[in-house]
Amino acid sequence: MSPEDALAQIAAHGDETRAAGAKAYHKSKRVHLGVPNPVLNDLTQGWRKELDVPARVTLADGLWQTDIFEARLAAAKLLTQARIRPDDAAWDLITSWVPQFDGWAIADHACMAGQRRVTADPARLDLVEAWTTSEHMWTRRASLVMTLPWTKQNFPKPEEVAVRERVLGWAASYVPDQQWFIQKAIAWWVRELGKHDAPRARAFLEEHGSAMKPFAAKEAGKYLA
């Protein structure tokens, strides 16, 4: 399947009114087609069944390069899968997208694809950690969004605890950064951790909460007594 064929299938479900609303909501300069997310899910699930891994990566690359909003979402969805073998090409493509992030919707979809690849090979955290000092705000944010799976274990193994502490260190280093999306990402990580390890989330807030923006500190403590 070519990117042109895939894009035609996406565009067939477009709606101009929805596109205009989404473009305004996301404050986006790129083309929007007005295709609902469930439709993109159905299309990409079908493509994943039809295509082998190299073909999926090639199609995802082509869709991303169109710079159309729904095409970039579809590119990320094509690679959002727990088992991709081999997955080095998929990981390389996902990481090549990170410096291009310019809004939360596309970034979050791409990070969801990245989450699967990082949990498949935690050695990739070394690259993710390098993003924490980037001058690009969305790259810094991606280091927290892409590591959210480590907030979810109720009974983490020692190596999972080590990753959790490592990422909490990144989050702590972000606290002085008062940009809204950075504060939101810190809050997101600690809030999710609070569902599974309330004492550790509470300890983070006791140490850093007073330096966070009030909205972020409140959100981070949402699930804490």
Side-chain angles (χ1 to χ4, degrees), residues 162-181:
V163 172
R164 188 175 284 179
E165 291 301 317
R166 183 179 185 182
V167 179
L168 284 169
W170 306 347
S173 74
Y174 285 3
V175 168
D177 187 335
Q178 297 293 292
Q179 293 183 87
W180 192 91
F181 278 106

Side-chain angles (χ1 to χ4, degrees), residues 105-152:
I106 291 173
D108 286 0
H109 276 81
C111 283
M112 287 176 65
Q115 287 172 10
R116 273 63 168 189
R117 308 281 53 84
V118 176
T119 53
D121 183 1
R124 290 169 173 157
L125 288 166
D126 290 343
L127 174 59
V128 177
E129 184 167 22
W131 299 344
T132 64
T133 57
S134 172
E135 294 182 359
H136 182 229
M137 182 273 289
W138 294 103
T139 296
R140 296 197 305 278
R141 178 182 179 274
S143 68
L144 295 186
V145 181
M146 210 171 280
T147 52
L148 280 167
W150 278 276
T151 66
K152 300 182 184 304

Side-chain angles (χ1 to χ4, degrees), residues 5-174:
D5 291 337
L7 187 58
Q9 290 186 39
I10 295 171
H13 299 275
D15 178 270
E16 291 184 3
T17 301
R18 180 186 291 272
K23 190 178 181 71
Y25 174 73
H26 291 287
K27 300 178 181 178
S28 173
K29 295 181 180 179
R30 59 176 48 88
V31 172
H32 285 244
L33 300 175
V35 180
N37 204 45
V39 172
L40 295 176
N41 289 338
D42 291 343
L43 288 172
T44 53
Q45 286 173 10
W47 299 338
R48 285 204 304 264
K49 292 177 182 178
E50 296 172 6
L51 303 173
D52 61 17
V53 171
R56 269 179 268 161
V57 172
T58 298
L59 179 57
D61 185 24
L63 286 170
W64 183 273
Q65 289 185 42
T66 67
D67 198 28
I68 295 170
F69 181 79
E70 288 85 355
R72 287 198 162 187
L73 296 187
K77 289 174 183 293
L78 267 172
L79 302 183
T80 304
Q81 189 174 350
R83 293 189 177 184
I84 298 179
R85 296 177 182 172
D87 73 344
D88 286 343
W91 172 242
D92 289 345
L93 181 58
I94 293 164
T95 58
S96 76
W97 295 340
V98 174
Q100 303 174 54
F101 291 168
D102 57 7
W104 64 267
I106 291 173
D108 286 0
H109 276 81
C111 283
M112 287 176 65
Q115 287 172 10
R116 273 63 168 189
R117 308 281 53 84
V118 176
T119 53
D121 183 1
R124 290 169 173 157
L125 288 166
D126 290 343
L127 174 59
V128 177
E129 184 167 22
W131 299 344
T132 64
T133 57
S134 172
E135 294 182 359
H136 182 229
M137 182 273 289
W138 294 103
T139 296
R140 296 197 305 278
R141 178 182 179 274
S143 68
L144 295 186
V145 181
M146 210 171 280
T147 52
L148 280 167
W150 278 276
T151 66
K152 300 182 184 304
Q153 298 88 4
N154 287 319
F155 304 100
K157 299 174 183 178
E159 59 269 25
E160 292 169 336
V161 173
V163 172
R164 188 175 284 179
E165 291 301 317
R166 183 179 185 182
V167 179
L168 284 169
W170 306 347
S173 74
Y174 285 3

